[in-house]
mmCIF file of all heavy atoms in Angstrom:
data_model
loop_
_atom_site.group_PDB
_atom_site.id
_atom_site.type_symbol
_atom_site.label_atom_id
_atom_site.label_comp_id
_atom_site.label_asym_id
_atom_site.label_seq_id
_atom_site.Cartn_x
_atom_site.Cartn_y
_atom_site.Cartn_z
ATOM 1 N N ILE B 191 -70.880 -60.040 21.754
ATOM 2 C CA ILE B 191 -72.087 -60.678 21.149
ATOM 3 C C ILE B 191 -71.595 -61.592 20.107
ATOM 4 O O ILE B 191 -71.052 -61.172 19.001
ATOM 5 C CB ILE B 191 -73.009 -59.621 20.566
ATOM 6 C CG1 ILE B 191 -73.436 -58.579 21.545
ATOM 7 C CG2 ILE B 191 -74.149 -60.171 19.782
ATOM 8 C CD1 ILE B 191 -74.178 -57.369 21.060
ATOM 9 N N LEU B 192 -71.747 -62.846 20.367
ATOM 10 C CA LEU B 192 -71.060 -63.980 19.507
ATOM 11 C C LEU B 192 -71.670 -64.110 18.069
ATOM 12 O O LEU B 192 -70.959 -64.302 17.106
ATOM 13 C CB LEU B 192 -71.015 -65.144 20.266
ATOM 14 C CG LEU B 192 -70.106 -65.066 21.413
ATOM 15 C CD1 LEU B 192 -70.596 -65.790 22.610
ATOM 16 C CD2 LEU B 192 -68.656 -65.537 21.082
ATOM 17 N N SER B 193 -72.964 -63.785 18.031
ATOM 18 C CA SER B 193 -73.590 -63.966 16.690
ATOM 19 C C SER B 193 -73.073 -62.867 15.757
ATOM 20 O O SER B 193 -72.918 -63.105 14.601
ATOM 21 C CB SER B 193 -75.084 -63.885 16.822
ATOM 22 O OG SER B 193 -75.445 -62.625 17.359
ATOM 23 N N ASP B 194 -72.636 -61.696 16.318
ATOM 24 C CA ASP B 194 -71.937 -60.741 15.453
ATOM 25 C C ASP B 194 -70.760 -61.285 14.849
ATOM 26 O O ASP B 194 -70.469 -61.042 13.666
ATOM 27 C CB ASP B 194 -71.705 -59.482 16.247
ATOM 28 C CG ASP B 194 -72.939 -58.686 16.765
ATOM 29 O OD1 ASP B 194 -74.117 -59.182 16.308
ATOM 30 O OD2 ASP B 194 -72.803 -57.739 17.392
ATOM 31 N N VAL B 195 -69.943 -61.863 15.679
ATOM 32 C CA VAL B 195 -68.683 -62.411 15.243
ATOM 33 C C VAL B 195 -68.917 -63.505 14.029
ATOM 34 O O VAL B 195 -68.261 -63.484 13.166
ATOM 35 C CB VAL B 195 -67.846 -62.953 16.349
ATOM 36 C CG1 VAL B 195 -66.636 -63.747 15.973
ATOM 37 C CG2 VAL B 195 -67.530 -62.020 17.421
ATOM 38 N N GLU B 196 -69.884 -64.305 14.401
ATOM 39 C CA GLU B 196 -70.183 -65.430 13.306
ATOM 40 C C GLU B 196 -70.515 -64.700 12.108
ATOM 41 O O GLU B 196 -70.207 -65.281 10.977
ATOM 42 C CB GLU B 196 -71.256 -66.302 13.979
ATOM 43 C CG GLU B 196 -70.689 -67.321 14.772
ATOM 44 C CD GLU B 196 -71.736 -68.368 15.264
ATOM 45 O OE1 GLU B 196 -72.594 -67.839 16.059
ATOM 46 O OE2 GLU B 196 -71.621 -69.590 14.818
ATOM 47 N N ARG B 197 -71.214 -63.640 12.153
ATOM 48 C CA ARG B 197 -71.700 -62.961 10.924
ATOM 49 C C ARG B 197 -70.714 -62.416 10.071
ATOM 50 O O ARG B 197 -70.669 -62.427 8.796
ATOM 51 C CB ARG B 197 -72.834 -61.995 11.156
ATOM 52 C CG ARG B 197 -74.162 -62.645 10.842
ATOM 53 C CD ARG B 197 -75.319 -62.038 11.549
ATOM 54 N NE ARG B 197 -75.755 -60.697 10.925
ATOM 55 C CZ ARG B 197 -76.759 -60.162 11.496
ATOM 56 N NH1 ARG B 197 -77.385 -60.523 12.591
ATOM 57 N NH2 ARG B 197 -77.130 -58.899 11.011
ATOM 58 N N VAL B 198 -69.674 -61.625 10.733
ATOM 59 C CA VAL B 198 -68.756 -60.775 9.941
ATOM 60 C C VAL B 198 -67.304 -61.206 10.058
ATOM 61 O O VAL B 198 -66.413 -60.909 9.213
ATOM 62 C CB VAL B 198 -68.893 -59.427 10.083
ATOM 63 C CG1 VAL B 198 -70.359 -58.858 9.695
ATOM 64 C CG2 VAL B 198 -68.808 -58.997 11.585
ATOM 65 N N CYS B 199 -66.883 -61.973 11.167
ATOM 66 C CA CYS B 199 -65.428 -62.101 11.299
ATOM 67 C C CYS B 199 -64.766 -63.262 10.582
ATOM 68 O O CYS B 199 -65.530 -64.241 10.469
ATOM 69 C CB CYS B 199 -65.192 -62.313 12.781
ATOM 70 S SG CYS B 199 -65.441 -60.824 13.781
ATOM 71 N N ASP B 200 -63.543 -63.133 10.323
ATOM 72 C CA ASP B 200 -62.891 -64.360 9.805
ATOM 73 C C ASP B 200 -61.839 -64.873 10.823
ATOM 74 O O ASP B 200 -61.308 -66.033 10.665
ATOM 75 C CB ASP B 200 -62.318 -64.128 8.360
ATOM 76 C CG ASP B 200 -61.595 -62.735 8.259
ATOM 77 O OD1 ASP B 200 -60.937 -62.331 9.184
ATOM 78 O OD2 ASP B 200 -61.749 -62.205 7.121
ATOM 79 N N ARG B 201 -61.410 -64.027 11.632
ATOM 80 C CA ARG B 201 -60.598 -64.482 12.755
ATOM 81 C C ARG B 201 -61.069 -63.983 14.128
ATOM 82 O O ARG B 201 -61.683 -62.985 14.249
ATOM 83 C CB ARG B 201 -59.102 -63.953 12.529
ATOM 84 C CG ARG B 201 -58.266 -64.645 11.513
ATOM 85 C CD ARG B 201 -56.821 -64.127 11.576
ATOM 86 N NE ARG B 201 -56.111 -64.745 12.708
ATOM 87 C CZ ARG B 201 -55.657 -65.951 12.616
ATOM 88 N NH1 ARG B 201 -55.779 -66.601 11.464
ATOM 89 N NH2 ARG B 201 -54.893 -66.528 13.610
ATOM 90 N N VAL B 202 -60.745 -64.718 15.148
ATOM 91 C CA VAL B 202 -61.133 -64.337 16.528
ATOM 92 C C VAL B 202 -60.007 -64.491 17.514
ATOM 93 O O VAL B 202 -59.189 -65.400 17.347
ATOM 94 C CB VAL B 202 -62.419 -65.112 16.995
ATOM 95 C CG1 VAL B 202 -63.680 -64.818 16.256
ATOM 96 C CG2 VAL B 202 -62.061 -66.622 17.066
ATOM 97 N N ALA B 203 -60.053 -63.633 18.547
ATOM 98 C CA ALA B 203 -59.216 -63.967 19.652
ATOM 99 C C ALA B 203 -60.120 -63.654 20.877
ATOM 100 O O ALA B 203 -61.118 -63.026 20.774
ATOM 101 C CB ALA B 203 -58.218 -62.880 19.749
ATOM 102 N N MET B 204 -59.893 -64.508 21.884
ATOM 103 C CA MET B 204 -60.704 -64.399 23.136
ATOM 104 C C MET B 204 -59.879 -64.108 24.302
ATOM 105 O O MET B 204 -58.774 -64.670 24.481
ATOM 106 C CB MET B 204 -61.400 -65.742 23.381
ATOM 107 C CG MET B 204 -62.654 -65.580 24.101
ATOM 108 S SD MET B 204 -63.454 -67.108 24.456
ATOM 109 C CE MET B 204 -64.243 -67.383 22.892
ATOM 110 N N LEU B 205 -60.282 -63.078 24.972
ATOM 111 C CA LEU B 205 -59.536 -62.434 26.113
ATOM 112 C C LEU B 205 -60.301 -62.844 27.391
ATOM 113 O O LEU B 205 -61.541 -62.759 27.426
ATOM 114 C CB LEU B 205 -59.434 -61.033 25.873
ATOM 115 C CG LEU B 205 -58.321 -60.356 26.407
ATOM 116 C CD1 LEU B 205 -56.932 -60.841 25.838
ATOM 117 C CD2 LEU B 205 -58.397 -58.856 26.175
ATOM 118 N N ASP B 206 -59.624 -63.220 28.383
ATOM 119 C CA ASP B 206 -60.312 -63.410 29.665
ATOM 120 C C ASP B 206 -59.423 -63.014 30.762
ATOM 121 O O ASP B 206 -58.252 -63.442 30.972
ATOM 122 C CB ASP B 206 -60.746 -64.951 29.862
ATOM 123 C CG ASP B 206 -61.533 -65.054 31.203
ATOM 124 O OD1 ASP B 206 -62.290 -64.097 31.571
ATOM 125 O OD2 ASP B 206 -61.408 -66.115 31.764
ATOM 126 N N LYS B 207 -59.933 -62.012 31.589
ATOM 127 C CA LYS B 207 -59.071 -61.436 32.746
ATOM 128 C C LYS B 207 -57.609 -61.011 32.134
ATOM 129 O O LYS B 207 -56.535 -61.186 32.843
ATOM 130 C CB LYS B 207 -58.740 -62.347 33.776
ATOM 131 C CG LYS B 207 -60.088 -62.812 34.400
ATOM 132 C CD LYS B 207 -59.894 -63.563 35.697
ATOM 133 C CE LYS B 207 -61.177 -64.229 36.256
ATOM 134 N NZ LYS B 207 -61.574 -65.424 35.420
ATOM 135 N N GLY B 208 -57.701 -60.409 30.906
ATOM 136 C CA GLY B 208 -56.495 -59.761 30.394
ATOM 137 C C GLY B 208 -55.646 -60.778 29.724
ATOM 138 O O GLY B 208 -54.667 -60.258 28.969
ATOM 139 N N ARG B 209 -55.936 -62.007 29.663
ATOM 140 C CA ARG B 209 -55.176 -63.000 29.052
ATOM 141 C C ARG B 209 -55.770 -63.548 27.852
ATOM 142 O O ARG B 209 -56.903 -63.708 27.717
ATOM 143 C CB ARG B 209 -54.844 -64.138 29.948
ATOM 144 C CG ARG B 209 -53.836 -63.817 31.115
ATOM 145 C CD ARG B 209 -53.627 -65.072 32.102
ATOM 146 N NE ARG B 209 -52.523 -64.916 32.859
ATOM 147 C CZ ARG B 209 -51.303 -65.237 32.499
ATOM 148 N NH1 ARG B 209 -51.055 -65.797 31.319
ATOM 149 N NH2 ARG B 209 -50.323 -64.997 33.284
ATOM 150 N N LEU B 210 -54.969 -63.970 26.897
ATOM 151 C CA LEU B 210 -55.428 -64.446 25.716
ATOM 152 C C LEU B 210 -55.708 -65.937 25.983
ATOM 153 O O LEU B 210 -54.922 -66.707 26.333
ATOM 154 C CB LEU B 210 -54.391 -64.416 24.519
ATOM 155 C CG LEU B 210 -54.712 -64.771 23.159
ATOM 156 C CD1 LEU B 210 -55.792 -63.783 22.562
ATOM 157 C CD2 LEU B 210 -53.564 -64.833 22.350
ATOM 158 N N VAL B 211 -56.995 -66.273 25.611
ATOM 159 C CA VAL B 211 -57.308 -67.710 25.806
ATOM 160 C C VAL B 211 -57.429 -68.503 24.447
ATOM 161 O O VAL B 211 -57.191 -69.746 24.428
ATOM 162 C CB VAL B 211 -58.583 -67.984 26.642
ATOM 163 C CG1 VAL B 211 -58.291 -67.747 28.080
ATOM 164 C CG2 VAL B 211 -59.665 -67.096 26.237
ATOM 165 N N ILE B 212 -57.858 -67.828 23.425
ATOM 166 C CA ILE B 212 -57.925 -68.435 22.109
ATOM 167 C C ILE B 212 -57.548 -67.419 21.050
ATOM 168 O O ILE B 212 -57.921 -66.261 21.158
ATOM 169 C CB ILE B 212 -59.377 -68.840 21.810
ATOM 170 C CG1 ILE B 212 -59.764 -69.990 22.715
ATOM 171 C CG2 ILE B 212 -59.434 -69.282 20.306
ATOM 172 C CD1 ILE B 212 -61.219 -70.388 22.297
ATOM 173 N N GLU B 213 -56.732 -67.870 20.090
ATOM 174 C CA GLU B 213 -56.678 -67.083 18.864
ATOM 175 C C GLU B 213 -56.732 -68.038 17.710
ATOM 176 O O GLU B 213 -55.792 -68.963 17.682
ATOM 177 C CB GLU B 213 -55.464 -66.227 18.757
ATOM 178 C CG GLU B 213 -55.349 -65.317 17.630
ATOM 179 C CD GLU B 213 -53.988 -64.896 17.245
ATOM 180 O OE1 GLU B 213 -52.940 -65.118 17.973
ATOM 181 O OE2 GLU B 213 -53.951 -64.158 16.236
ATOM 182 N N SER B 214 -57.593 -67.804 16.679
ATOM 183 C CA SER B 214 -57.551 -68.762 15.642
ATOM 184 C C SER B 214 -58.481 -68.149 14.534
ATOM 185 O O SER B 214 -59.211 -67.157 14.825
ATOM 186 C CB SER B 214 -58.104 -70.094 16.232
ATOM 187 O OG SER B 214 -59.289 -70.354 15.570
ATOM 188 N N ASP B 215 -58.560 -68.880 13.424
ATOM 189 C CA ASP B 215 -59.629 -68.337 12.384
ATOM 190 C C ASP B 215 -60.930 -69.037 12.759
ATOM 191 O O ASP B 215 -60.921 -70.088 13.486
ATOM 192 C CB ASP B 215 -59.136 -68.579 11.055
ATOM 193 C CG ASP B 215 -58.982 -70.010 10.671
ATOM 194 O OD1 ASP B 215 -59.926 -70.599 10.475
ATOM 195 O OD2 ASP B 215 -57.755 -70.438 10.537
ATOM 196 N N LEU B 216 -61.935 -68.487 12.309
ATOM 197 C CA LEU B 216 -63.223 -68.906 12.793
ATOM 198 C C LEU B 216 -63.566 -70.417 12.395
ATOM 199 O O LEU B 216 -64.144 -71.200 13.152
ATOM 200 C CB LEU B 216 -64.330 -68.066 12.174
ATOM 201 C CG LEU B 216 -65.669 -67.937 12.957
ATOM 202 C CD1 LEU B 216 -65.403 -67.495 14.268
ATOM 203 C CD2 LEU B 216 -66.621 -67.060 12.205
ATOM 204 N N GLU B 217 -63.116 -70.765 11.151
ATOM 205 C CA GLU B 217 -63.294 -72.239 10.705
ATOM 206 C C GLU B 217 -62.637 -73.228 11.670
ATOM 207 O O GLU B 217 -63.252 -74.134 12.198
ATOM 208 C CB GLU B 217 -62.813 -72.410 9.329
ATOM 209 C CG GLU B 217 -63.710 -71.705 8.310
ATOM 210 C CD GLU B 217 -65.209 -72.372 8.423
ATOM 211 O OE1 GLU B 217 -65.327 -73.540 8.503
ATOM 212 O OE2 GLU B 217 -66.031 -71.525 8.681
ATOM 213 N N THR B 218 -61.346 -72.975 11.928
ATOM 214 C CA THR B 218 -60.563 -73.794 12.832
ATOM 215 C C THR B 218 -61.253 -73.922 14.168
ATOM 216 O O THR B 218 -61.296 -74.989 14.811
ATOM 217 C CB THR B 218 -59.098 -73.301 12.848
ATOM 218 O OG1 THR B 218 -58.718 -72.855 11.643
ATOM 219 C CG2 THR B 218 -58.252 -74.334 13.482
ATOM 220 N N LEU B 219 -61.592 -72.793 14.750
ATOM 221 C CA LEU B 219 -62.169 -72.708 15.947
ATOM 222 C C LEU B 219 -63.396 -73.662 16.043
ATOM 223 O O LEU B 219 -63.564 -74.460 16.933
ATOM 224 C CB LEU B 219 -62.648 -71.337 16.352
ATOM 225 C CG LEU B 219 -63.259 -71.212 17.709
ATOM 226 C CD1 LEU B 219 -62.179 -71.256 18.748
ATOM 227 C CD2 LEU B 219 -63.863 -69.786 17.868
ATOM 228 N N LYS B 220 -64.189 -73.534 15.021
ATOM 229 C CA LYS B 220 -65.471 -74.295 15.051
ATOM 230 C C LYS B 220 -65.148 -75.876 14.914
ATOM 231 O O LYS B 220 -65.778 -76.633 15.569
ATOM 232 C CB LYS B 220 -66.253 -73.835 13.918
ATOM 233 C CG LYS B 220 -67.058 -72.619 14.233
ATOM 234 C CD LYS B 220 -68.317 -72.275 13.281
ATOM 235 C CE LYS B 220 -69.074 -71.353 13.837
ATOM 236 N NZ LYS B 220 -70.128 -70.967 12.868
ATOM 237 N N ASN B 221 -64.126 -76.150 13.960
ATOM 238 C CA ASN B 221 -63.805 -77.484 13.880
ATOM 239 C C ASN B 221 -63.233 -78.071 15.068
ATOM 240 O O ASN B 221 -63.480 -79.333 15.497
ATOM 241 C CB ASN B 221 -62.761 -77.675 12.711
ATOM 242 C CG ASN B 221 -63.430 -77.395 11.361
ATOM 243 O OD1 ASN B 221 -64.678 -77.698 11.277
ATOM 244 N ND2 ASN B 221 -62.711 -76.882 10.319
ATOM 245 N N ASP B 222 -62.284 -77.363 15.808
ATOM 246 C CA ASP B 222 -61.679 -77.813 16.876
ATOM 247 C C ASP B 222 -62.718 -78.023 18.008
ATOM 248 O O ASP B 222 -62.633 -78.954 18.863
ATOM 249 C CB ASP B 222 -60.781 -76.814 17.496
ATOM 250 C CG ASP B 222 -59.388 -76.736 16.622
ATOM 251 O OD1 ASP B 222 -59.335 -77.589 15.796
ATOM 252 O OD2 ASP B 222 -58.549 -75.909 16.940
ATOM 253 N N TYR B 223 -63.840 -77.279 18.082
ATOM 254 C CA TYR B 223 -64.689 -77.341 19.225
ATOM 255 C C TYR B 223 -65.972 -78.104 18.788
ATOM 256 O O TYR B 223 -66.922 -78.118 19.488
ATOM 257 C CB TYR B 223 -64.980 -76.096 19.857
ATOM 258 C CG TYR B 223 -63.848 -75.570 20.741
ATOM 259 C CD1 TYR B 223 -62.772 -74.839 20.107
ATOM 260 C CD2 TYR B 223 -63.816 -75.853 22.047
ATOM 261 C CE1 TYR B 223 -61.713 -74.422 20.848
ATOM 262 C CE2 TYR B 223 -62.774 -75.445 22.810
ATOM 263 C CZ TYR B 223 -61.658 -74.719 22.272
ATOM 264 O OH TYR B 223 -60.592 -74.334 23.016
ATOM 265 N N ILE B 224 -65.938 -78.586 17.481
ATOM 266 C CA ILE B 224 -67.222 -79.003 16.997
ATOM 267 C C ILE B 224 -67.640 -80.217 17.787
ATOM 268 O O ILE B 224 -66.840 -81.087 18.193
ATOM 269 C CB ILE B 224 -67.257 -79.368 15.524
ATOM 270 C CG1 ILE B 224 -68.575 -79.188 14.857
ATOM 271 C CG2 ILE B 224 -66.572 -80.617 15.173
ATOM 272 C CD1 ILE B 224 -68.473 -78.763 13.490
ATOM 273 N N GLU B 225 -68.889 -80.343 17.993
ATOM 274 C CA GLU B 225 -69.433 -81.392 18.687
ATOM 275 C C GLU B 225 -70.838 -81.461 18.394
ATOM 276 O O GLU B 225 -71.560 -80.564 18.732
ATOM 277 C CB GLU B 225 -69.274 -81.311 20.301
ATOM 278 C CG GLU B 225 -68.814 -82.383 20.963
ATOM 279 C CD GLU B 225 -68.652 -81.992 22.444
ATOM 280 O OE1 GLU B 225 -68.164 -80.933 22.725
ATOM 281 O OE2 GLU B 225 -69.009 -82.762 23.269
ATOM 282 N N PRO B 226 -71.243 -82.426 17.535
ATOM 283 C CA PRO B 226 -72.645 -82.459 17.168
ATOM 284 C C PRO B 226 -73.577 -82.610 18.197
ATOM 285 O O PRO B 226 -73.453 -83.240 19.165
ATOM 286 C CB PRO B 226 -72.764 -83.671 16.198
ATOM 287 C CG PRO B 226 -71.256 -84.018 15.953
ATOM 288 C CD PRO B 226 -70.483 -83.580 17.089
#
Side-chain angles (χ1 to χ4, degrees):
Chain B
I191 303 175
L192 292 140
S193 56
D194 291 359
V195 171
E196 274 182 297
R197 254 157 80 181
V198 295
C199 291
D200 42 37
R201 281 189 80 80
V202 293
M204 202 182 282
L205 210 60
D206 184 32
K207 299 190 187 78
R209 286 179 165 274
L210 187 69
V211 283
I212 293 179
E213 187 201 355
S214 114
D215 65 78
L216 204 58
E217 282 310 301
T218 321
L219 182 71
K220 283 193 162 173
N221 288 333
D222 284 356
Y223 284 88
I224 205 153
E225 222 178 319

